[in-house]
């Protein structure tokens, strides 16, 4: 039996862009239906991405700390050799995901958003059919918000299945693999590769570029490369992966030499692509921008009252970007005058150590003589030393205009610097100048003092260096 529904707002995708848009629509009194056909409420981020990966990374760091204490001691602490039951770790991670799933469901219910579970297929820009366990539902809407997210890129010669896995499977393994080969040296591959190294796996990374994290400048990535070297992670840069069989991954090294890398699991993390296939996008008449849906600064497509948010709309593919766009679109539909025009969208790599980047970096201002650049080492910050975060070459760096001292970009690398990202983004969004940061009394002892000192250094009078 086919059911027919009409609504003011129809949202396709329950990830961070879609469910936030849904909640905000509900708060604004808009009749809203949210179709959840992917990974579940919260989408990739909550279910198989941001949240579960950070849980595994946290568990790995705890295990590494105990392991250090068992091998010669650390901070005067000595313990017996630790043992990990990874199935229990994964169960703990799954519990966090379930709790957050339940929280999102409760928030949507409170906002009076109707959630339909199933995968939608559009016949035109405003009408879709959703196949559910209880039959088909045809939904027509005045406004449609597309928030279908993205999916892992699969290599034709390394198709997912068996021991060739994506980040999704890497977060739910039954046990820590003895030998893990990661294909792709971007942030996803490095985050998970480092976590599994901490958990005791032998890890090798195969990257086509000449260095890891090629989108970041070398000063930011050097501390991560040093960690990998120190901890015995095998790096094959400028190398190409081939086929996998009999526990061996074929690669071709930078100089053209063929090699075989032993692997119990091969984790392929060569990027993500927008999820544009299988739900009738081709029937909607929207204009594309390469592989992405083209939008303007209102997140509007070329089709009237059809909107798009999140990974579907292009780089950066970050959960917090999608959430912000979802709020903007909901408020526009409700009649508010809004634009999506951020000064910056900060990004974090949860590697070891962590990397934060907001605004312009050295690669963006290369060759310009109108920019001040100043760095301050975490090794000169008391709090960093007290929590063992000042010994890995970490720093905070600011870039500012010479003429008016306006902040242009802020970066950091070091343990726990992810927590500085919001301060960086806030200062850039508010149009702060170096004197603004210098004039804020920063709490002592905190890592944030490095931001203060980097700004003072740019002005020519850092205190602690």
């Amino acid at each position: 039996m086919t059911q027919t529904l009409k609504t003011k707002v129809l949202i396709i995708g329950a990830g961070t862009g879609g469910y936030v848009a849904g909640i905000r629509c509900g708060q604004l009194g808009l009749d809203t239906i949210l179709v959840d056909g992917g990974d579940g409420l919260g989408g990739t981020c909550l279910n198989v991405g941001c949240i579960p990966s950070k849980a595994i990374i946290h568990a790995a760091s705890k295990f590494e700390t105990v392991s250090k204490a068992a091998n010669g001691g650390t901070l005067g602490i000595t313990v017996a050799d630790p043992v990990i039951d990874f199935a229990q770790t994964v169960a703990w991670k799954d519990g966090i995901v379930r709790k957050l799933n339940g929280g999102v469901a409760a928030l949507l219910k409170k906002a009076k958003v109707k959630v339909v579970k199933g995968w939608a297929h559009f016949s035109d820009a405003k009408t879709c059919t959703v196949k559910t366990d209880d039959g088909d539902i045809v939904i027509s809407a005045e406004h449609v918000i597309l928030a279908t997210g993205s999916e892992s890129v699969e290599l034709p010669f390394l198709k997912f299945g068996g021991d060739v896995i994506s980040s999704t499977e890497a977060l739910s393994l039954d046990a820590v693999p003895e030998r893990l080969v990661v294909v792709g040296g971007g942030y996803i591959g490095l985050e998970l590769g480092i976590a599994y190294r901490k958990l005791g796996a032998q890890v090798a990374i195969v990257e086509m570029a000449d260095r890891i994290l090629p989108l970041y400048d070398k000063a930011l990535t050097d501390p991560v490369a040093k960690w990998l070297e120190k901890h015995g992670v095998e790096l094959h840069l400028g190398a190409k992966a081939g086929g996998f069989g009999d526990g061996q991954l074929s690669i071709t090294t930078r100089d053209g030499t063929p090699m075989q890398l032993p692997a119990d699991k091969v984790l392929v993390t060569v990027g993500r692509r927008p999820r544009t296939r299988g739900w009738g996008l081709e029937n909607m008449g929207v204009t594309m921008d390469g592989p992405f849906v083209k939008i303007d600064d209102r997140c509007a497509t070329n089709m009237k009252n059809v909107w798009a948010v999140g990974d579907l709309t292009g780089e950066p593919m970050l959960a917090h970007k999608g959430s912000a766009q979802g709020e903007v679109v909901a408020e526009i539909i409700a009649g508010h005058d809004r634009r999506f025009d951020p000064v910056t969208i900060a990004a974090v790599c949860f590697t070891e150590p962590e990397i934060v980047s907001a605004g312009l970096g050295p690669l963006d201002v290369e060759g310009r003589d109108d920019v001040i650049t100043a760095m301050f080492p975490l090794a000169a910050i008391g709090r960093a030393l007290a929590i063992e975060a000042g010994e890995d070459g970490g720093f905070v760096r600011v870039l500012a205009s010479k003429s008016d001292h306006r902040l242009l970009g802020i970066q950091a690398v070091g343990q726990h610097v992810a927590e500085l990202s919001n301060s960086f983004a806030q200062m850039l969004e508010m149009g702060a100048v170096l004197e603004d940061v210098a004039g804020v009394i920063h709490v002592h002892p905190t890592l944030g003092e490095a931001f203060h000192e980097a700004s003072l250094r740019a002005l020519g009078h850092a205190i602690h260096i």
Side-chain angles (χ1 to χ4, degrees):
M1 180 178 176
T2 300
Q3 185 181 359
T4 301
L5 299 174
K6 291 186 178 182
T7 186
K8 175 78 171 181
V9 182
L10 168 63
I11 303 170
I12 305 300
T16 50
Y19 89 73
V20 169
I23 291 170
R24 190 70 184 112
C25 283
Q27 291 173 341
L28 293 164
L30 303 172
D31 182 32
T32 304
I33 295 175
L34 173 65
V35 177
D36 168 26
D39 300 301
L41 295 178
T44 295
C45 177
L46 193 157
N47 293 278
V48 293
C50 314
I51 300 302
S53 68
K54 303 317 168 281
I56 295 297
I57 288 168
H58 174 71
S61 294
K62 291 286 190 184
F63 185 77
E64 181 191 37
T65 298
V66 179
S67 297
K68 284 181 180 178
N71 292 278
T74 181
L75 309 179
I77 303 167
T78 304
V79 299
D81 283 332
V83 176
I84 187 166
D85 182 337
F86 197 59
Q88 286 192 31
T89 305
V90 169
W92 164 76
K93 176 266 298 181
D94 290 341
I96 294 170
V97 171
R98 283 194 300 273
K99 182 176 182 180
L100 291 171
N101 281 146
V104 171
L107 291 169
L108 288 166
K109 183 177 181 180
K110 180 181 178 182
K112 296 182 171 59
V113 176
K114 179 178 178 61
V115 176
V116 175
K117 292 190 178 296
W119 196 248
H121 191 277
F122 280 84
S123 54
D124 59 45
K126 304 289 177 61
T127 309
C128 73
T129 300
V130 183
K131 292 190 175 299
T132 75
D133 293 339
D134 299 320
D136 291 353
I137 302 177
V138 177
I139 306 173
S140 59
E142 183 179 336
H143 292 266
V144 173
I145 303 175
L146 302 176
T148 54
S150 62
E151 59 194 1
S152 297
V153 172
E154 185 179 53
L155 295 173
F157 49 86
L158 278 177
K159 289 189 176 295
F160 296 133
D163 292 326
V164 178
I165 60 176
S166 71
S167 57
T168 296
E169 292 77 36
L171 295 169
S172 296
L173 295 178
D174 294 331
V176 176
E178 185 177 337
R179 300 166 302 179
L180 174 70
V181 176
V182 180
V183 178
Y187 76 95
I188 296 174
L190 283 174
E191 285 183 1
L192 293 175
I194 287 170
Y196 274 106
R197 181 69 191 103
K198 289 180 176 181
L199 291 166
Q202 294 299 314
V203 176
I205 296 173
V206 180
E207 167 58 45
M208 286 185 66
D210 290 332
R211 60 185 184 85
I212 58 171
L213 298 169
L215 296 180
Y216 293 92
D217 65 272
K218 191 171 181 295
L220 284 176
T221 61
D222 271 353
V224 179
K226 289 175 182 175
W227 190 96
L228 296 174
E229 182 180 6
K230 180 180 178 181
H231 292 82
V233 175
E234 196 177 318
L235 266 182
H236 297 275
L237 300 176
K240 296 180 180 179
F244 175 71
D246 298 324
Q248 302 277 334
L249 176 70
S250 299
I251 72 166
T252 304
T253 65
R254 193 198 319 253
D255 61 8
T257 304
M259 279 187 68
Q260 298 287 319
L261 299 180
D264 299 302
K265 299 289 181 183
V266 176
L267 170 59
V268 179
T269 58
V270 293
R272 296 184 66 82
R273 63 185 172 206
R275 191 176 278 133
T276 57
R277 298 176 295 184
W279 49 272
L281 176 62
E282 64 277 5
N283 299 325
M284 299 185 72
V286 300
T287 299
M288 303 297 290
D289 181 10
F292 303 106
V293 171
K294 186 175 183 179
I295 58 170
D296 61 16
D297 64 354
R298 299 167 72 243
C299 300
T301 72
N302 62 299
M303 296 296 288
K304 184 179 179 182
N305 294 344
V306 176
W307 317 81
V309 302
D311 290 0
L312 189 63
T313 65
E315 298 288 353
M317 289 188 181
L318 298 171
H320 41 290
K321 182 196 79 171
S323 296
Q325 289 177 318
E327 286 189 67
V328 165
V329 171
E331 292 178 8
I332 290 172
I333 293 172
H336 300 191
D337 184 13
R338 291 293 311 275
R339 294 289 187 275
F340 182 72
D341 186 24
V343 173
T344 185
I345 303 174
V348 178
C349 292
F350 290 86
T351 45
E352 186 65 64
E354 296 170 349
I355 297 174
V356 177
S357 183
L360 301 181
L363 300 177
D364 301 307
V365 300
E366 203 167 16
R368 289 174 54 175
D369 59 4
D370 60 339
V371 176
I372 306 167
T373 301
M375 295 168 56
F376 193 86
L378 291 178
I381 297 295
R383 172 67 171 165
L385 295 177
I387 60 173
E388 300 182 282
E391 301 172 358
D392 53 18
F395 60 84
V396 172
R397 178 177 62 205
V398 297
L399 288 79
S401 168
K402 278 186 181 177
S403 60
D404 60 5
H405 293 177
R406 185 82 54 196
L407 284 169
L408 302 175
I410 314 162
Q411 292 84 40
V413 57
Q415 292 183 56
H416 313 297
V417 296
E419 301 306 321
L420 301 178
S421 57
N422 293 314
S423 176
F424 295 171
Q426 183 181 44
M427 283 295 183
L428 288 167
E429 199 67 40
M430 294 177 69
V433 295
L434 292 168
E435 288 83 356
D436 291 325
V437 184
V440 173
I441 299 174
H442 285 67
V443 174
H444 176 76
T446 63
L447 297 181
E449 290 177 276
F451 184 20
H452 184 234
E453 290 277 10
S455 299
L456 290 175
R457 195 174 193 186
L459 292 169
H461 54 88
I463 300 298
H464 291 97
I465 198 168

